Amino acid sequence: DIHGRPLTLDAGQRPPTIEGLIVNKTPYPGLRRIVGATMMLAVVTGVGRAAPVAVSSPAAPEFSAAQSDAGANVFATKCAQCHGANLQGYAGPALTGSTFLDHWLSGGKSVGDLYWKISTQMPYLAPHSLPAKDYIDVTAFLLSRNGFASGPAVLDADAMRTLLPRPAGSPPAVPINLDLPSVPANPGHARGTKPDDSELITPADTAWPSYNRSLAGERFSNLKEITARNVNHLRVVCAFQLGEVGSFQASPIIYDGTLYVTGPYSTFALDATNCHKRWEHQYPADMSPPLTVNRGVALYRGKVLRVTPNNHLLALDAATGELLWDVWVTDKAAGRWMSLAPVAFGGRVYIGEAGADWGTNGHLYAFDVESGRRVWTFNTIPTGNESGAETWEKGSQAGGGSTWSSFAVDAGEKILYAPIGNPAPDFNVAMRPGDNLYTNSIVALDVDSGRLRWYAQQSPRDAHDWDTAAAPALYAQDGHRYVAVGTKGGFLFIYDRDSHALVAKVPVSSH
């Protein structure tokens, strides 16, 4: 093995190949965690056995201009469609900028670690499908685009050992010991007090006061003026331009004649009858997170509550747009970001973070709506002695458990129902044996304490990115209480909320 000890093979077992090791499909537990520079040496040199190495730390990684140029061509044909032609990020994360640098240029990571990440996870849907030379060249290209200079030496086995220092002139590193979430020093007070819990439980017919309309999440309006017979007569009454370019994923909120819409960092209150702007709030834009989108706000007790892509939770005065408090929730340098529409109930606002597809573990949070102070945190990937940690084989936790859209609340039982997304690394189940709780699940949490009441997992050990991403819907029928949730796998799951039994699994689309 890598420590120079002889391997013991059971009868009929064959020695593992380098290809088997690099994608973590080897049946030998002692070798399953061989990653990074050590493994790369064997692949790059073609040696069938990796000898122990000591990681050195030259001033900068070595690679040639020819390798970088070749890598640029590979990137343009295999990577740019997801990461952007200028590495700025698109469907995939940005491969330049402070978030990328903070992740890779801290914590003792080597060039081999970067190579291993690229070669085992990319291209999307076809990991480990390119020749080793292409992966080496792309690694050189990324180094060149992030401030490192090429030279006469080539990126080879020795260069893979090099620790990644911060190049001269790069943005300063974000402090790694941040005390987050932050605590607002002087939270302001909203002028209004509406809507309250009762209005969110049973909204007025003319209102859509939260992402799912009601806390139960049925997303249904009782209005009957528009019908199948007259819908073709609908005409545009007014339009409002947010002044931004990009995807628009916000669900508009309407309450008391005002329409609330958001961009990634902008928030607008509009007259719902003529689109006249009543107020506008612009938070300082930060385009470095992997994705910069926002799905809307929670309206509660005179406040407009929203998150930003760079992980801030904001409370604005619904009457004026004034910033009442700002909580920095989590560090974007860890690869986390936020896009969901919060849910508020019982004096608290509930949010979660994304980033699982980039190898981070997710969390759900509850904050006091008046002070902005954190009340509790729930780990969507359990660790240590937490229930569910046993569903991850020791050492295989690589990340997962994003929250994408919004939640539902059983106001009577005081239970928060949260949808949890896929495990990471995406598609590569060999790296994470086990059911991988609580990914691809709905978790039912006590709204006051964050304690897990029960859960239901829709896709154990997901190999297809079949996130449970949309908020569940709570309803009652024939004396029974149910929760329904759809997944990206194309199924609608229905559970009994009292017995927690699966009642139905209905296909609603093809895969």
Side-chain angles (χ1 to χ4, degrees):
D1 65 12
I2 61 171
H3 302 292
R5 300 184 295 258
L7 287 172
T8 301
L9 306 181
D10 296 334
Q13 279 189 305
R14 300 172 60 188
T17 63
I18 290 301
E19 290 77 9
L21 292 174
I22 194 62
V23 295
N24 285 300
K25 292 182 178 178
T26 174
Y28 310 103
L31 292 176
R32 186 168 287 130
R33 298 203 53 170
I34 296 178
V35 297
T38 302
M39 200 58 251
M40 291 310 102
L41 295 178
V43 174
V44 173
T45 61
V47 179
R49 179 175 177 270
V53 296
V55 176
S56 61
S57 182
E62 296 180 328
F63 61 93
S64 69
Q67 288 178 309
S68 176
D69 292 343
N73 292 329
V74 176
F75 183 90
T77 57
K78 301 293 184 181
C79 314
Q81 60 267 39
C82 287
H83 296 281
N86 294 314
L87 288 72
Q88 77 276 14
Y90 185 59
L95 299 179
T96 59
S98 59
T99 298
F100 180 86
L101 292 171
D102 289 342
H103 178 76
W104 285 105
L105 307 186
S106 61
K109 298 180 180 69
S110 69
V111 178
D113 293 325
L114 177 61
Y115 172 93
W116 177 83
K117 182 74 171 182
I118 297 168
S119 63
T120 60
Q121 299 299 307
M122 295 293 135
Y124 184 64
L125 297 180
H128 196 58
S129 62
L130 303 180
K133 180 182 181 301
D134 286 358
Y135 288 117
I136 296 170
D137 291 341
V138 168
T139 303
F141 172 63
L142 293 185
L143 292 172
S144 71
R145 288 297 303 271
N146 281 281
F148 295 103
S150 61
V154 297
L155 179 55
D156 59 11
D158 289 330
M160 286 289 175
R161 312 180 198 185
T162 307
L163 295 180
L164 285 165
R166 295 188 76 84
S170 64
V174 175
I176 60 175
N177 294 319
L178 296 170
D179 186 15
L180 300 178
S182 62
V183 178
N186 297 295
H189 299 286
R191 289 161 175 77
T193 60
K194 299 291 185 175
D196 56 19
D197 287 338
S198 62
E199 292 177 280
L200 295 179
I201 295 170
T202 309
D205 288 347
T206 55
W208 196 284
S210 66
Y211 184 86
N212 299 304
R213 187 170 182 270
S214 72
L215 291 177
E218 68 269 80
R219 310 177 199 118
F220 177 80
S221 172
N222 291 318
L223 297 177
K224 298 179 179 179
E225 183 177 353
I226 299 172
T227 68
R229 292 185 175 182
N230 64 24
V231 68
N232 62 310
H233 297 299
L234 290 178
R235 297 292 182 269
V236 175
V237 173
C238 62
F240 181 82
Q241 296 287 345
L242 272 66
E244 300 175 357
V245 177
S247 61
F248 183 73
Q249 300 187 21
S251 177
I253 299 302
I254 186 168
Y255 180 77
D256 196 22
T258 300
L259 192 69
Y260 300 91
V261 295
T262 61
Y265 294 95
S266 59
T267 312
F268 298 88
L270 312 175
D271 187 312
T273 64
N274 57 22
C275 299
H276 174 73
K277 183 175 70 175
R278 290 178 169 167
W279 56 256
E280 171 185 348
H281 180 270
Q282 293 286 345
Y283 196 74
D286 174 4
M287 306 309 289
S288 65
L291 292 177
T292 51
V293 298
N294 182 266
R295 295 187 169 92
V297 306
L299 195 63
Y300 189 53
R301 295 185 180 178
K303 300 176 181 63
V304 175
L305 302 154
R306 62 158 296 169
V307 298
T308 66
N310 62 349
N311 303 318
H312 287 253
L313 172 62
L314 312 179
L316 308 176
D317 191 313
T320 64
E322 176 189 355
L323 180 64
L324 301 176
W325 50 257
D326 175 355
V327 173
W328 187 4
V329 179
T330 187
D331 187 1
K332 68 177 183 178
R336 299 186 179 100
W337 56 282
M338 292 180 173
S339 65
L340 84 173
V343 160
F345 169 75
R348 299 186 178 95
V349 54
Y350 305 94
I351 63 172
E353 61 201 11
D357 298 88
W358 292 273
T360 66
N361 290 359
H363 305 87
L364 305 176
Y365 302 93
F367 292 86
D368 182 86
V369 77
E370 301 301 335
S371 67
R373 289 180 174 271
R374 178 180 56 172
V375 178
W376 54 255
T377 300
F378 177 81
N379 298 328
T380 61
I381 304 298
T383 60
N385 295 323
E386 293 178 320
S387 176
E390 70 280 0
T391 65
W392 295 81
E393 184 171 303
K394 185 177 180 181
S396 68
Q397 295 178 17
S402 292
T403 45
W404 297 101
S405 55
S406 193
F407 311 131
V409 177
D410 182 331
E413 295 293 326
K414 292 189 175 181
I415 297 177
L416 177 78
Y417 286 86
I420 309 299
N422 61 275
D426 229 350
F427 310 107
N428 195 342
V429 296
M431 295 184 67
R432 44 178 174 80
D435 283 350
N436 305 153
L437 288 175
Y438 293 99
T439 63
N440 289 21
S441 303
I442 50 172
V443 293
L445 308 180
D446 184 283
V447 296
D448 293 324
S449 65
R451 178 177 61 87
L452 179 68
R453 300 277 289 268
W454 65 282
Y455 73 91
Q457 188 174 38
Q458 289 73 60
S459 302
R461 200 184 180 193
D462 177 24
H464 305 286
D465 195 36
W466 284 352
D467 298 62
T468 302
L474 313 179
Y475 67 100
Q477 183 175 339
D478 300 328
H480 294 277
R481 305 185 322 133
Y482 301 103
V483 53
V485 64
T487 73
K488 286 168 57 179
F491 290 95
L492 175 68
F493 294 80
I494 301 176
Y495 300 91
D496 188 298
R497 277 189 277 159
D498 297 309
S499 69
H500 310 160
L502 177 64
V503 175
K505 178 182 177 181
V506 183
V508 294
S509 71
S510 60
H511 300 310

